[in-house]
Amino acid sequence: MLVAGDASDNTRKTFLDKSTYYNVPIRVIATKEELGQCIGKSTRAVIAIKDKKFATTLLGYLDNNV
């Protein structure tokens, strides 16, 4: 799961708490506008990635390059 760095404090806390509870990897990156652009949509505060292989690859890339 990806959360925008400029998401509201409440949004960040909610998703960080839920991801911890459900043991879902989460990273705080980019801005809402950049997250939306990454998926070809308008601004987004949170993006969830359901494909496990893609999520693992993306998180590995983010951990090593960002």
Side-chain angles (χ1 to χ4, degrees):
M1 185 175 306
L2 304 175
V3 177
D6 62 347
S8 71
D9 291 338
N10 187 45
T11 298
R12 282 198 314 267
K13 182 179 180 338
T14 298
F15 283 96
L16 288 169
D17 290 348
K18 294 290 184 184
S19 68
T20 300
Y21 181 79
Y22 289 105
N23 197 28
V24 174
I26 189 169
R27 302 296 182 275
V28 178
I29 64 163
T31 64
K32 292 186 284 188
E33 185 175 321
E34 291 169 333
L35 281 182
Q37 288 175 351
C38 287
I39 61 170
K41 302 286 185 178
S42 61
T43 60
R44 296 289 190 261
V46 179
I47 296 175
I49 301 163
K50 293 171 60 174
D51 184 282
K52 187 170 182 138
K53 186 174 181 181
F54 179 65
T56 301
T57 302
L58 179 60
L59 291 174
Y61 175 80
L62 291 173
D63 290 344
N64 293 319
N65 295 306
V66 174

